[in-house]
Amino acid sequence: MSDLNQPTPITPRKVRCPACGGISLYSSANPYRPFCSARCKGVDLGAWASEEFKLPDDTPPDDSFGDPRLQ
């Protein structure tokens, strides 16, 4: 039989861990992906829980619009 019909093995991609910057395997074999370890995953979760990661809030407060019936 020909080798053309054989599937090519998938090699896991190596990425940088968002927490520590180390090398992490991005594959189903790594249960912590994209993190390299349970520690890095926990550190990131703790940062989200303590609201260290926030999106900027550029919306004006509601009271600046006023009540349209009073104009």
Side-chain angles (χ1 to χ4, degrees):
M1 193 163 237
S2 172
D3 287 335
L4 296 175
N5 295 334
Q6 298 296 325
T8 57
I10 298 173
T11 57
R13 196 168 69 171
K14 294 178 182 177
V15 297
R16 294 268 177 208
C17 174
C20 72
I23 299 297
S24 176
L25 289 180
Y26 195 83
S27 76
S28 59
N30 178 4
Y32 309 112
R33 71 176 180 259
F35 303 99
C36 64
S37 66
R39 180 190 174 279
C40 284
K41 188 174 183 177
V43 167
D44 187 74
L45 178 62
W48 277 103
S50 65
E51 297 184 357
E52 288 180 35
F53 300 133
K54 294 183 194 176
L55 295 174
D57 186 19
D58 295 335
T59 57
D62 290 338
D63 59 355
S64 67
F65 292 112
D67 189 348
R69 295 175 291 172
L70 298 176
Q71 294 180 1

